Amino acid sequence: MKAQQPILLSFYALSNGEKVMVFGHLTYSLIKDLSFTGFSNVKTFFTLYSLYRTRFVAEQQIEIIFNSGRATTTTDVKGSFYFIADLVPGQHTVLDIQIAGVSVKFMPELYDLAIHEIRTDTILVSDIDDTVIHSYISNKFSKFLTLMFTKVEKRQAVEPTMKLIRDQYGVGVAPFYLSNSEQNLYPLIYRFLKHNNFPKGPIFLKEMRKLRDVFRGKKFPAQDLHKLATLNQLMRFFPEKDFILLGDNTQRDLDIYLRMAEKFPTNIKYIVILKVVDRPADDEVVVYSSKLLKEQHIGLYYGTELPSTLSML
């Protein structure tokens, strides 16, 4: 019996001009169509259901073959991989990824294999759920129904933040997307961003989850850890860049971004939090933090309507 071919579910390669950051996810899946294009509600459900039942390519050594040079790394227990290496002169794209000499299957509708050098002065890092897509995180029942039974073309974008991201991209800001959603949802998220004409950028998601963990409500790792670790990596990888941090108040974006401002005060230019639900405790934090951030020349916005320009902050 022929062995099942692993698929490269997600992928992105970034460069700061000297080094390359490569990350992605490998899994085993029999699903042939992960485009989430023109899916019915039923097909959306069964495709997502299948993505939560895939088998991980766990702790496997992989070889990434670039147009110039090669790199070897190992997947983690959930099938994800991440590494930073020196950028080889002339290196600009991935040609192949192999496990024990056998090529994995690429999904060209979900990513490209180019190395993206970030040459802009500013990077905007945006949350996804309830920041760019209405996910109803604060209501578990609505969240589940919307996610599992609504086709991508019917999912609603958050208009104020969509406009802000597009406007910033228009003046030369590079958009990155950072979410506590799991890797299982990468194809759906990628398709949503593309369908709604969000500017392209890397999508950083949490580790893969199994279906049983979703039904049990099990969350791992700790809620803040993924975003904090990713932001730390990005700011150390791009030490000369300014950052705009964009999120909402359905989770802990405000606390996470304030912690990053404390750690990297010279890198963060603006913190923008869309107020989706009432959290009186957040109001107190904003009042206390605004003055401290202003002294560090960091703009802070927290409210239901976003400013027309960030320079107003």
Side-chain angles (χ1 to χ4, degrees):
M1 182 177 178
K2 187 178 179 180
Q4 190 176 349
Q5 183 182 23
I7 66 169
L8 184 64
L9 183 69
S10 65
F11 179 85
Y12 210 88
L14 290 166
S15 170
N16 58 15
E18 297 179 355
K19 293 184 177 294
V20 60
M21 174 191 294
V22 179
F23 59 95
H25 183 87
L26 285 160
T27 192
Y28 294 101
S29 176
L30 295 175
I31 311 171
K32 295 182 179 179
D33 185 2
L34 289 172
S35 68
F36 282 89
T37 301
F39 283 18
S40 65
N41 290 343
V42 172
K43 187 173 181 180
T44 297
F45 171 81
F46 280 108
T47 303
L48 288 173
Y49 178 79
S50 297
L51 282 169
Y52 280 100
R53 299 181 70 245
T54 59
R55 184 163 57 92
F56 305 143
V57 182
E59 300 179 309
Q60 292 290 309
Q61 187 178 75
I62 64 174
E63 183 176 31
I64 301 177
I65 303 169
F66 298 92
N67 68 298
S68 179
R70 298 173 177 233
T72 301
T73 188
T74 303
T75 60
D76 65 17
V77 294
K78 296 295 181 67
S80 292
F81 60 89
Y82 165 89
F83 70 89
I84 293 175
D86 291 332
L87 185 67
V88 175
Q91 192 176 62
H92 57 75
T93 192
V94 170
L95 300 180
D96 197 12
I97 297 178
Q98 298 181 352
I99 300 176
V102 179
S103 298
V104 305
K105 181 181 179 181
F106 292 149
M107 309 294 286
E109 69 273 21
L110 298 180
Y111 44 76
D112 63 65
L113 298 170
I115 297 174
H116 299 268
E117 182 176 353
I118 306 302
R119 299 179 179 177
T120 61
D121 294 330
T122 305
I123 294 171
L124 184 153
V125 181
S126 175
D127 174 53
I128 295 177
D129 289 314
D130 288 320
T131 298
V132 301
I133 180 173
H134 286 291
S135 301
Y136 311 103
I137 291 295
S138 59
N139 185 312
K140 291 183 179 180
F141 182 70
S142 296
K143 173 189 172 183
F144 179 78
L145 287 182
T146 302
L147 171 63
M148 299 299 293
F149 293 97
T150 306
K151 57 186 180 180
V152 170
E153 291 85 356
K154 291 295 184 179
R155 295 292 299 269
Q156 297 296 309
V158 180
E159 294 288 341
T161 47
M162 179 169 64
K163 181 179 184 303
L164 178 62
I165 292 170
R166 288 176 179 171
D167 288 348
Q168 290 299 303
Y169 177 73
V171 296
V173 174
F176 289 14
Y177 303 95
L178 171 61
S179 174
N180 272 329
S181 291
E182 49 269 23
Q183 286 284 341
N184 313 65
L185 299 179
Y186 173 85
L188 183 148
I189 292 170
Y190 179 88
R191 171 59 184 163
F192 172 83
L193 294 173
K194 183 177 181 180
H195 176 72
N196 286 278
N197 297 314
F198 279 88
K200 289 184 178 180
I203 302 171
F204 298 90
L205 302 178
K206 287 176 73 171
E207 63 187 32
M208 205 82 160
R209 297 177 73 192
K210 286 291 190 181
L211 192 63
R212 62 178 178 269
D213 298 319
V214 176
F215 286 123
R216 287 161 52 193
K218 184 178 179 181
K219 295 183 178 181
F220 49 83
Q223 190 176 30
D224 294 356
L225 184 59
H226 167 64
K227 287 188 175 181
L228 285 171
T230 303
L231 288 170
N232 267 282
Q233 291 165 348
L234 290 175
M235 291 186 189
R236 294 184 188 282
F237 192 73
F238 296 108
E240 305 301 323
K241 305 291 187 186
D242 289 327
F243 282 80
I244 300 167
L245 304 182
L246 173 62
D248 67 87
N249 74 333
T250 59
Q251 295 180 307
R252 291 175 51 82
D253 291 343
L254 177 61
D255 293 338
I256 292 169
Y257 294 168
L258 289 176
R259 289 171 68 178
M260 296 309 299
E262 185 177 352
K263 190 170 183 178
F264 298 96
T266 60
N267 292 93
I268 297 175
K269 192 173 183 181
Y270 300 106
I271 294 174
V272 181
I273 302 293
L274 186 66
K275 187 175 181 180
V276 178
V277 295
D278 288 327
R279 294 189 186 280
D282 284 354
D283 296 330
E284 297 176 11
V285 171
V286 169
V287 171
Y288 173 78
S289 301
S290 294
K291 182 179 179 181
L292 296 177
L293 292 175
K294 188 174 182 180
E295 291 174 353
Q296 296 174 319
H297 307 288
I298 301 173
L300 172 63
Y301 175 82
Y302 178 89
T304 57
E305 299 292 335
L306 298 185
S308 56
T309 62
L310 292 181
S311 61
M312 295 172 59
L313 301 182

